[in-house]
Amino acid sequence: MLYLNKTKIFSVLIVLSIFLYSCNDLKEEVFSFNTQSNAIVDIKGVDLAMNGVYDAWISALGNRLFRWSICSGPSQYTVCRFDPTNRDARYVSYLWDPSDRFFTTRIWTLAYQTIQRANIVIDAIPNADISEAQAENRLAEARFLRANEYFFMVRLFGGVPLHLVPTSEVNSDLLNGNSLPRNSAQEVYDAIIADLEYAQDKLPATRPTNENGRPTSGAVKSLLGEVYLQMAGLKQSNPSLGITGGSYQMAVDKLLEVVNSNVYDLQPTYKDVFDTNNEFNNEIIWAQPNIIGNTFAGNLIPWALRPPNTPGAGSAGVGAFNEWALSLEFYESFEPTDPRRDVTMAYSYEAFNGETITFNQPPFPVFENGITTYDETTGLGFNKWFEGGGNGTNSNENDEVFIRYADVLLMLAEAYVGAGNSTQALPHINRVRSRVGLASLGSVTLENIKQERAWELAGEYQEYFDLQRWGDVEKAMQEGPDAVADYAERYETMPLPSDALQGNGNLVQNAGW
């Protein structure tokens, strides 16, 4: 069996002659995903195919970075040092472009690759020579991964073509929807809920270290609670999507299952959450492990988001790219004693040559990557993902966290407020505040939760989806220092890629694009 564990992965790869993060190797060494393979006949074949699902989801070097720009770029606190029309700045400036192949098309394509591979595994398992327990476990895992992709897609685009069985054609048509029309957003949400309801009690509560990165029942329930919360918010903030299911109380009930499981807890300090010597601690519910020093299995995000000449984002002579950053206004919104401020952002730091660099305090040294200043034109680089030493742009070991316990507590508080029970929300938001030494709130509103999520979860793939749920996309566009487009309703979802529309004549573009 293959696992996503960074400490044991190499020995496993040698045995199975497959490199987990290389698409080409996976297709050549396991079986071809271009046919309905007969290789998924036993547990070894099932697990190799399951790794094919992860391979598409991880997609070697860039998929997480593209997703980061789309999820965390549209925020009133995110800035980009490039011109607003630059490809890398578009999701911060809101100059979204359906013809953008580098980001939009790639996101769409990789999501459908992941979904197709999950469908192949789901379809093959009932006929494989494996035990009932193994079948249930692997089906649950594959359905969780499929649901996660559809949840990502439906929030970005609204309704999308809903593939729940394999197609015999793995080509550009499949990746653009395989000629299926768009399902409604509610239909996509129904499929997501069905997958997660199936999976929630068929995965283990915890995993051994050699299975880090694979979902648990807590990950499934956390995601399902988030699905209910998103649906409840969208029914109010964007009625045009036609969402009819989900409710704040459903979110409360599901997220309480995670809290009452007693599997997870907050780390003693905020910094502990992101310490590379403390990965997969008991605050982490679901994350992608990364391997230091390996081009295909490392993390690209520290290089893109850390401040210039940072030693942990690349070896000396490479330096961080400081591509996206956070505004000075956001830095100053924190209480000065809140440790999240300086764990999240690098106001003053030591460069790889030992020189101290301080925000807005020239003269500045010679920076790598064409950067000339470190001030309000660049924004404050991220400090969360720092390992103390790097091995190149794509080779950092920081794990990418997608669900953690603090997020669950804040979602639960939000769901209680939405359900009209703000008193029950208080202990959950106050637990998050207590860890960083902030006074407990005596009462709580949605505005309190919005601010707390911004402080706690900055840069963790949450911002755009939070704005959608709260009906705050317009506010973010008005307040964002780098947002140059004027608000229109079309910004509540993103445009479908032009390539998808050209490849599938049954698709219809989102209104206004």
PDB file of all heavy atoms in Angstrom, residues 7 12 23 26 54 61 63 71 89 149 162 229 284 300 328 356 374 381 424 433 458-459 493 502:
ATOM      1  N   THR A   7       8.240  10.417   5.669  1.00  0.00           N
ATOM      2  CA  THR A   7       9.399   9.747   6.219  1.00  0.00           C
ATOM      3  C   THR A   7       9.591   8.347   5.653  1.00  0.00           C
ATOM      4  O   THR A   7      10.682   7.809   5.679  1.00  0.00           O
ATOM      5  CB  THR A   7       9.262   9.645   7.742  1.00  0.00           C
ATOM      6  OG1 THR A   7       8.078   8.912   8.062  1.00  0.00           O
ATOM      7  CG2 THR A   7       9.188  11.024   8.372  1.00  0.00           C
ATOM      8  N   VAL A  12       8.924   2.923   0.183  1.00  0.00           N
ATOM      9  CA  VAL A  12       7.735   2.365  -0.460  1.00  0.00           C
ATOM     10  C   VAL A  12       7.819   2.522  -1.971  1.00  0.00           C
ATOM     11  O   VAL A  12       7.488   1.612  -2.731  1.00  0.00           O
ATOM     12  CB  VAL A  12       6.471   3.048   0.082  1.00  0.00           C
ATOM     13  CG1 VAL A  12       5.238   2.522  -0.615  1.00  0.00           C
ATOM     14  CG2 VAL A  12       6.353   2.832   1.583  1.00  0.00           C
ATOM     15  N   CYS A  23       3.187  12.395 -12.568  1.00  0.00           N
ATOM     16  CA  CYS A  23       2.082  11.882 -13.382  1.00  0.00           C
ATOM     17  C   CYS A  23       2.580  10.885 -14.409  1.00  0.00           C
ATOM     18  O   CYS A  23       1.991   9.840 -14.627  1.00  0.00           O
ATOM     19  CB  CYS A  23       1.371  13.031 -14.093  1.00  0.00           C
ATOM     20  SG  CYS A  23       0.533  14.179 -13.009  1.00  0.00           S
ATOM     21  N   LEU A  26       3.439   7.557 -12.909  1.00  0.00           N
ATOM     22  CA  LEU A  26       2.265   6.851 -12.456  1.00  0.00           C
ATOM     23  C   LEU A  26       1.564   6.174 -13.616  1.00  0.00           C
ATOM     24  O   LEU A  26       1.212   5.010 -13.555  1.00  0.00           O
ATOM     25  CB  LEU A  26       1.315   7.809 -11.749  1.00  0.00           C
ATOM     26  CG  LEU A  26       0.086   7.176 -11.123  1.00  0.00           C
ATOM     27  CD1 LEU A  26       0.505   6.213 -10.027  1.00  0.00           C
ATOM     28  CD2 LEU A  26      -0.845   8.224 -10.583  1.00  0.00           C
ATOM     29  N   TYR A  54      -4.483  10.731  -5.913  1.00  0.00           N
ATOM     30  CA  TYR A  54      -3.681  11.734  -5.214  1.00  0.00           C
ATOM     31  C   TYR A  54      -2.713  12.431  -6.160  1.00  0.00           C
ATOM     32  O   TYR A  54      -2.461  13.626  -6.041  1.00  0.00           O
ATOM     33  CB  TYR A  54      -2.899  11.086  -4.068  1.00  0.00           C
ATOM     34  CG  TYR A  54      -3.728  10.785  -2.852  1.00  0.00           C
ATOM     35  CD1 TYR A  54      -4.127   9.476  -2.562  1.00  0.00           C
ATOM     36  CD2 TYR A  54      -4.110  11.798  -1.981  1.00  0.00           C
ATOM     37  CE1 TYR A  54      -4.884   9.195  -1.434  1.00  0.00           C
ATOM     38  CE2 TYR A  54      -4.866  11.527  -0.853  1.00  0.00           C
ATOM     39  CZ  TYR A  54      -5.254  10.222  -0.582  1.00  0.00           C
ATOM     40  OH  TYR A  54      -6.010   9.953   0.530  1.00  0.00           O
ATOM     41  N   LEU A  61       4.116  20.130  -9.305  1.00  0.00           N
ATOM     42  CA  LEU A  61       4.638  21.337  -8.671  1.00  0.00           C
ATOM     43  C   LEU A  61       3.625  22.431  -8.414  1.00  0.00           C
ATOM     44  O   LEU A  61       3.722  23.125  -7.414  1.00  0.00           O
ATOM     45  CB  LEU A  61       5.759  21.920  -9.547  1.00  0.00           C
ATOM     46  CG  LEU A  61       6.898  20.975  -9.884  1.00  0.00           C
ATOM     47  CD1 LEU A  61       7.892  21.692 -10.769  1.00  0.00           C
ATOM     48  CD2 LEU A  61       7.570  20.484  -8.631  1.00  0.00           C
ATOM     49  N   ASN A  63      -0.142  22.856  -8.676  1.00  0.00           N
ATOM     50  CA  ASN A  63      -1.572  22.925  -8.452  1.00  0.00           C
ATOM     51  C   ASN A  63      -1.932  23.675  -7.176  1.00  0.00           C
ATOM     52  O   ASN A  63      -2.865  24.473  -7.148  1.00  0.00           O
ATOM     53  CB  ASN A  63      -2.154  21.510  -8.404  1.00  0.00           C
ATOM     54  CG  ASN A  63      -3.672  21.500  -8.478  1.00  0.00           C
ATOM     55  OD1 ASN A  63      -4.291  22.473  -8.881  1.00  0.00           O
ATOM     56  ND2 ASN A  63      -4.266  20.392  -8.077  1.00  0.00           N
ATOM     57  N   CYS A  71      -7.959  31.063  -4.210  1.00  0.00           N
ATOM     58  CA  CYS A  71      -8.706  31.018  -2.950  1.00  0.00           C
ATOM     59  C   CYS A  71      -8.364  32.182  -2.030  1.00  0.00           C
ATOM     60  O   CYS A  71      -9.260  32.761  -1.395  1.00  0.00           O
ATOM     61  CB  CYS A  71      -8.427  29.709  -2.226  1.00  0.00           C
ATOM     62  SG  CYS A  71      -8.967  28.221  -3.089  1.00  0.00           S
ATOM     63  N   ALA A  89      -1.168  38.639 -10.946  1.00  0.00           N
ATOM     64  CA  ALA A  89      -1.874  39.598 -10.090  1.00  0.00           C
ATOM     65  C   ALA A  89      -3.381  39.580 -10.291  1.00  0.00           C
ATOM     66  O   ALA A  89      -4.105  40.213  -9.520  1.00  0.00           O
ATOM     67  CB  ALA A  89      -1.346  41.009 -10.356  1.00  0.00           C
ATOM     68  N   GLU A 149     -13.055  17.722  -4.430  1.00  0.00           N
ATOM     69  CA  GLU A 149     -12.870  18.417  -5.702  1.00  0.00           C
ATOM     70  C   GLU A 149     -14.144  19.111  -6.156  1.00  0.00           C
ATOM     71  O   GLU A 149     -14.119  20.256  -6.619  1.00  0.00           O
ATOM     72  CB  GLU A 149     -12.399  17.440  -6.787  1.00  0.00           C
ATOM     73  CG  GLU A 149     -10.958  17.015  -6.636  1.00  0.00           C
ATOM     74  CD  GLU A 149     -10.015  18.206  -6.648  1.00  0.00           C
ATOM     75  OE1 GLU A 149      -9.657  18.694  -7.736  1.00  0.00           O
ATOM     76  OE2 GLU A 149      -9.628  18.656  -5.545  1.00  0.00           O
ATOM     77  N   LEU A 162     -21.476  17.218 -13.801  1.00  0.00           N
ATOM     78  CA  LEU A 162     -21.366  16.282 -12.692  1.00  0.00           C
ATOM     79  C   LEU A 162     -21.064  14.883 -13.226  1.00  0.00           C
ATOM     80  O   LEU A 162     -21.931  14.201 -13.773  1.00  0.00           O
ATOM     81  CB  LEU A 162     -22.679  16.283 -11.892  1.00  0.00           C
ATOM     82  CG  LEU A 162     -22.692  15.602 -10.535  1.00  0.00           C
ATOM     83  CD1 LEU A 162     -21.653  16.203  -9.605  1.00  0.00           C
ATOM     84  CD2 LEU A 162     -24.083  15.718  -9.916  1.00  0.00           C
ATOM     85  N   LEU A 229     -22.406  24.703   6.093  1.00  0.00           N
ATOM     86  CA  LEU A 229     -22.255  26.114   6.432  1.00  0.00           C
ATOM     87  C   LEU A 229     -22.226  26.968   5.178  1.00  0.00           C
ATOM     88  O   LEU A 229     -22.877  28.026   5.114  1.00  0.00           O
ATOM     89  CB  LEU A 229     -20.970  26.311   7.234  1.00  0.00           C
ATOM     90  CG  LEU A 229     -20.660  27.738   7.704  1.00  0.00           C
ATOM     91  CD1 LEU A 229     -21.706  28.216   8.702  1.00  0.00           C
ATOM     92  CD2 LEU A 229     -19.264  27.808   8.316  1.00  0.00           C
ATOM     93  N   ILE A 284      -4.087  19.404  13.449  1.00  0.00           N
ATOM     94  CA  ILE A 284      -4.206  19.183  12.012  1.00  0.00           C
ATOM     95  C   ILE A 284      -5.227  18.084  11.745  1.00  0.00           C
ATOM     96  O   ILE A 284      -5.089  16.956  12.211  1.00  0.00           O
ATOM     97  CB  ILE A 284      -2.847  18.800  11.395  1.00  0.00           C
ATOM     98  CG1 ILE A 284      -1.786  19.851  11.739  1.00  0.00           C
ATOM     99  CG2 ILE A 284      -2.991  18.623   9.891  1.00  0.00           C
ATOM    100  CD1 ILE A 284      -2.141  21.260  11.347  1.00  0.00           C
ATOM    101  N   LEU A 300       5.908  24.492  -3.035  1.00  0.00           N
ATOM    102  CA  LEU A 300       6.267  25.684  -3.794  1.00  0.00           C
ATOM    103  C   LEU A 300       5.817  26.960  -3.098  1.00  0.00           C
ATOM    104  O   LEU A 300       6.372  28.036  -3.324  1.00  0.00           O
ATOM    105  CB  LEU A 300       5.620  25.594  -5.191  1.00  0.00           C
ATOM    106  CG  LEU A 300       5.864  26.705  -6.201  1.00  0.00           C
ATOM    107  CD1 LEU A 300       7.337  26.794  -6.567  1.00  0.00           C
ATOM    108  CD2 LEU A 300       5.019  26.463  -7.451  1.00  0.00           C
ATOM    109  N   LEU A 328      -0.183  46.301   4.873  1.00  0.00           N
ATOM    110  CA  LEU A 328       0.174  46.922   6.144  1.00  0.00           C
ATOM    111  C   LEU A 328      -1.079  47.151   6.984  1.00  0.00           C
ATOM    112  O   LEU A 328      -1.047  47.024   8.216  1.00  0.00           O
ATOM    113  CB  LEU A 328       0.911  48.234   5.893  1.00  0.00           C
ATOM    114  CG  LEU A 328       1.330  49.028   7.139  1.00  0.00           C
ATOM    115  CD1 LEU A 328       2.286  48.218   8.005  1.00  0.00           C
ATOM    116  CD2 LEU A 328       1.950  50.356   6.733  1.00  0.00           C
ATOM    117  N   THR A 356      19.617  41.992   8.485  1.00  0.00           N
ATOM    118  CA  THR A 356      18.248  42.218   8.961  1.00  0.00           C
ATOM    119  C   THR A 356      17.521  43.155   8.008  1.00  0.00           C
ATOM    120  O   THR A 356      18.023  44.233   7.663  1.00  0.00           O
ATOM    121  CB  THR A 356      18.246  42.828  10.364  1.00  0.00           C
ATOM    122  OG1 THR A 356      18.861  41.899  11.270  1.00  0.00           O
ATOM    123  CG2 THR A 356      16.822  43.113  10.828  1.00  0.00           C
ATOM    124  N   TYR A 374      11.101  46.519   0.019  1.00  0.00           N
ATOM    125  CA  TYR A 374      10.231  45.717   0.875  1.00  0.00           C
ATOM    126  C   TYR A 374       9.384  46.703   1.665  1.00  0.00           C
ATOM    127  O   TYR A 374       9.741  47.149   2.754  1.00  0.00           O
ATOM    128  CB  TYR A 374      11.043  44.812   1.798  1.00  0.00           C
ATOM    129  CG  TYR A 374      10.195  43.839   2.590  1.00  0.00           C
ATOM    130  CD1 TYR A 374       9.338  42.948   1.941  1.00  0.00           C
ATOM    131  CD2 TYR A 374      10.240  43.809   3.988  1.00  0.00           C
ATOM    132  CE1 TYR A 374       8.546  42.060   2.658  1.00  0.00           C
ATOM    133  CE2 TYR A 374       9.453  42.923   4.710  1.00  0.00           C
ATOM    134  CZ  TYR A 374       8.614  42.045   4.043  1.00  0.00           C
ATOM    135  OH  TYR A 374       7.828  41.156   4.753  1.00  0.00           O
ATOM    136  N   GLY A 381       5.519  39.918   3.433  1.00  0.00           N
ATOM    137  CA  GLY A 381       5.591  38.511   3.077  1.00  0.00           C
ATOM    138  C   GLY A 381       5.109  37.612   4.198  1.00  0.00           C
ATOM    139  O   GLY A 381       5.133  37.962   5.381  1.00  0.00           O
ATOM    140  N   GLN A 424     -24.161  30.078  22.477  1.00  0.00           N
ATOM    141  CA  GLN A 424     -23.427  28.822  22.308  1.00  0.00           C
ATOM    142  C   GLN A 424     -22.169  28.997  21.461  1.00  0.00           C
ATOM    143  O   GLN A 424     -21.258  28.173  21.515  1.00  0.00           O
ATOM    144  CB  GLN A 424     -24.339  27.774  21.667  1.00  0.00           C
ATOM    145  CG  GLN A 424     -25.477  27.312  22.559  1.00  0.00           C
ATOM    146  CD  GLN A 424     -24.969  26.602  23.799  1.00  0.00           C
ATOM    147  OE1 GLN A 424     -24.038  25.798  23.732  1.00  0.00           O
ATOM    148  NE2 GLN A 424     -25.567  26.901  24.950  1.00  0.00           N
ATOM    149  N   ARG A 433      -9.315  32.625  20.731  1.00  0.00           N
ATOM    150  CA  ARG A 433      -8.743  33.873  21.231  1.00  0.00           C
ATOM    151  C   ARG A 433      -7.859  33.633  22.459  1.00  0.00           C
ATOM    152  O   ARG A 433      -6.810  34.261  22.621  1.00  0.00           O
ATOM    153  CB  ARG A 433      -9.869  34.854  21.578  1.00  0.00           C
ATOM    154  CG  ARG A 433     -10.621  35.382  20.365  1.00  0.00           C
ATOM    155  CD  ARG A 433     -11.827  36.226  20.772  1.00  0.00           C
ATOM    156  NE  ARG A 433     -11.450  37.386  21.579  1.00  0.00           N
ATOM    157  CZ  ARG A 433     -11.047  38.545  21.069  1.00  0.00           C
ATOM    158  NH1 ARG A 433     -10.955  38.707  19.750  1.00  0.00           N
ATOM    159  NH2 ARG A 433     -10.738  39.553  21.866  1.00  0.00           N
ATOM    160  N   ALA A 458      -5.327  33.475   7.844  1.00  0.00           N
ATOM    161  CA  ALA A 458      -4.817  34.205   6.680  1.00  0.00           C
ATOM    162  C   ALA A 458      -3.927  33.317   5.822  1.00  0.00           C
ATOM    163  O   ALA A 458      -3.013  32.659   6.316  1.00  0.00           O
ATOM    164  CB  ALA A 458      -4.029  35.435   7.144  1.00  0.00           C
ATOM    165  N   GLY A 459      -4.230  33.283   4.522  1.00  0.00           N
ATOM    166  CA  GLY A 459      -3.420  32.521   3.581  1.00  0.00           C
ATOM    167  C   GLY A 459      -3.660  31.032   3.602  1.00  0.00           C
ATOM    168  O   GLY A 459      -2.879  30.276   3.013  1.00  0.00           O
ATOM    169  N   THR A 493     -18.978  34.442  -8.503  1.00  0.00           N
ATOM    170  CA  THR A 493     -18.356  33.202  -8.958  1.00  0.00           C
ATOM    171  C   THR A 493     -17.328  33.575 -10.018  1.00  0.00           C
ATOM    172  O   THR A 493     -17.311  34.705 -10.508  1.00  0.00           O
ATOM    173  CB  THR A 493     -19.374  32.211  -9.555  1.00  0.00           C
ATOM    174  OG1 THR A 493     -20.127  32.878 -10.573  1.00  0.00           O
ATOM    175  CG2 THR A 493     -20.306  31.667  -8.492  1.00  0.00           C
ATOM    176  N   GLN A 502     -14.921  26.086 -25.337  1.00  0.00           N
ATOM    177  CA  GLN A 502     -14.620  25.723 -26.721  1.00  0.00           C
ATOM    178  C   GLN A 502     -14.615  24.217 -26.914  1.00  0.00           C
ATOM    179  O   GLN A 502     -14.991  23.709 -27.979  1.00  0.00           O
ATOM    180  CB  GLN A 502     -13.270  26.308 -27.114  1.00  0.00           C
ATOM    181  CG  GLN A 502     -13.283  27.837 -27.185  1.00  0.00           C
ATOM    182  CD  GLN A 502     -11.896  28.432 -27.261  1.00  0.00           C
ATOM    183  OE1 GLN A 502     -10.892  27.713 -27.387  1.00  0.00           O
ATOM    184  NE2 GLN A 502     -11.815  29.761 -27.185  1.00  0.00           N
TER     185      GLN A 502
END
